Amino acid sequence: MPDQSIVLSVVCPFFNEEEVVDFFMEKIHQVLNTLDLTYEIVCVNDGSLDRTLEKLILAKKSYPNLRILDFSRNFGKEAALTAGLDHARGKVIVPIDADLQDPPELIIDFIEKWREGYEVVVGKRVDRSTDGLLKRMTAQLYYRFHNKISNQKIPENVGDFRLITRRVVEAIQQMPENQRFMKGIFAWVGFNTCVVAYKRQKRRAGKTSFHGWGLWNFALDGITSFSTVPLRVWLYIGSLIALISLVYGSYIILRTLVFGVDLPGYASLLVSILFLGGVQLMGIGVLGEYLGRIYLETKHRPQYIVDKEY
């Protein structure tokens, strides 16, 4: 529930971030103390296997406005972010990662834009030189591909780092889906939005928990959450193959009538069977991806379980 005495809630998911906890706490408080408003920091420990929770509890002794949500296990960043939004009590909420690649100083600019009347202030990474070349290229391709096939566009190079008002949070809470893609959800709810550009920094300490396979699955979640084009495209692929088969079949009939019957080619027949089998399996795979999402949603399981709150 919102607390009228708290203006700003900073929400930060943690997963195996013991090396960065002290740096994050020092930096975020240094920035927030320059603001003339009351604030809280909601840290969500997403089932960390290292000393992250221990260090967060220790930090709470020095920073009494720190709140810690400890999950019963690892539920993933999207669930951790959702929990942070659900438990935040401020009038405005700023999600931020613990690695300090998104500069906390930008929160000052976010607050200024909010005071100008904006309900959503997003941080856009105009310089991602600290990320690897492969990561930058794949991210750019993903944003372009997603926005081509989805009715809901996601701003390019915009992550979870943003300011949103209580009204936006309440709109997000009306969305009941369990399998959540927060970047798409943030964009879907809309509201009066402005952009603040910034340069992405190097990770302050520790290592990222996102790697190639995890990012690929994350991208699939984003595509299947906000687009049915991957399903529809198989109608066109099937129609095209049927048309090609009709044309080729007409050619064979015509050739047979004119030149007679010749020995059929077993190699071409084998290639055709394998090709069509592969296409069918791909179509079933795409259908299975959507069916799996429906299956998980029908269970109505909670998005997360909070074991303890400190």
Side-chain angles (χ1 to χ4, degrees):
M1 295 295 291
D3 186 337
Q4 295 300 319
S5 65
I6 298 175
V7 177
L8 171 64
S9 294
V10 176
V11 171
C12 183
F14 283 81
F15 178 66
N16 293 342
E17 295 283 9
E18 64 174 345
E19 296 180 32
V20 82
V21 170
D22 294 335
F23 296 113
F24 175 79
M25 292 300 168
E26 180 182 356
K27 186 66 176 178
I28 197 71
H29 281 89
Q30 179 183 344
V31 171
L32 297 182
N33 286 334
T34 65
L35 297 171
D36 186 22
L37 46 78
T38 55
Y39 66 86
E40 65 173 0
I41 301 174
V42 182
C43 297
V44 183
N45 180 43
D46 185 21
S48 297
L49 302 176
D50 58 4
R51 296 177 58 245
T52 296
L53 178 60
E54 179 183 337
K55 300 197 74 171
L56 286 173
I57 294 174
L58 185 63
K60 186 174 174 62
K61 296 180 180 179
S62 302
Y63 307 106
N65 52 1
L66 179 64
R67 297 171 59 205
I68 305 168
L69 305 177
D70 182 32
F71 279 179
S72 60
R73 64 169 177 83
N74 176 251
F75 285 90
K77 184 182 177 182
E78 306 300 281
L81 186 54
T82 300
L85 296 180
D86 289 343
H87 288 77
R89 299 178 296 191
K91 296 179 181 177
V92 295
I93 297 89
V94 175
I96 187 173
D97 291 339
D99 56 20
L100 297 178
Q101 287 191 280
D102 301 323
E105 294 87 353
L106 212 64
I107 296 176
I108 300 173
D109 298 327
F110 287 177
I111 294 295
E112 290 179 359
K113 292 296 183 181
W114 167 62
R115 286 172 172 161
E116 292 176 10
Y118 291 99
E119 301 256 20
V120 179
V121 186
V122 299
K124 182 174 183 179
R125 307 156 183 165
V126 294
D127 186 341
R128 299 187 61 173
S129 55
T130 56
D131 292 333
L133 177 61
L134 180 60
K135 185 175 181 179
R136 295 200 305 270
M137 291 177 61
T138 52
Q140 186 179 38
L141 289 173
Y142 169 73
Y143 281 116
R144 291 182 178 178
F145 179 71
H146 182 281
N147 290 338
K148 283 286 186 183
I149 68 172
S150 176
N151 292 328
Q152 181 56 57
K153 310 302 180 187
I154 297 178
E156 190 171 342
N157 287 321
V158 171
D160 297 325
F161 186 41
R162 65 188 65 214
L163 177 147
I164 56 178
T165 64
R166 172 59 51 185
R167 288 182 64 212
V168 179
V169 172
E170 290 173 351
I172 292 173
Q173 289 172 333
Q174 295 179 43
M175 305 175 70
E177 61 256 42
N178 185 282
Q179 306 300 304
R180 300 173 78 83
F181 180 66
M182 293 304 296
K183 291 182 179 63
I185 289 176
F186 283 138
W188 187 90
V189 295
F191 291 96
N192 190 19
T193 304
C194 74
V195 177
V196 176
Y198 71 97
K199 178 180 179 180
R200 190 163 170 82
Q201 307 296 318
K202 290 184 178 180
R203 170 177 265 272
R204 188 64 178 83
K207 296 180 180 180
T208 180
S209 58
F210 276 99
H211 300 288
W213 185 247
L215 289 172
W216 168 253
N217 288 326
F218 184 64
L220 285 180
D221 285 341
I223 292 170
T224 54
S225 293
F226 288 90
S227 176
T228 58
V229 169
L231 286 173
R232 192 179 304 123
V233 73
W234 290 101
L235 171 64
Y236 302 113
I237 292 176
S239 300
L240 178 61
I241 292 176
L243 178 61
I244 294 173
S245 301
L246 179 62
V247 172
Y248 185 62
S250 301
Y251 164 73
I252 292 176
I253 293 173
L254 182 61
R255 191 183 64 175
T256 302
L257 291 175
V258 175
F259 299 104
V261 180
D262 57 358
L263 185 66
Y266 292 102
S268 60
L269 181 61
L270 180 62
V271 170
S272 299
I273 292 173
L274 292 176
F275 172 73
L276 291 175
V279 169
Q280 289 173 340
L281 290 175
M282 289 171 61
I284 293 172
V286 172
L287 183 62
E289 184 69 27
Y290 282 89
L291 186 61
R293 295 185 67 86
I294 296 172
Y295 170 69
L296 293 174
E297 291 292 342
T298 57
K299 289 178 176 290
H300 300 296
R301 291 175 177 172
Q303 298 163 22
Y304 57 86
I305 298 175
V306 177
D307 182 21
K308 293 181 181 179
E309 182 173 350
Y310 299 89

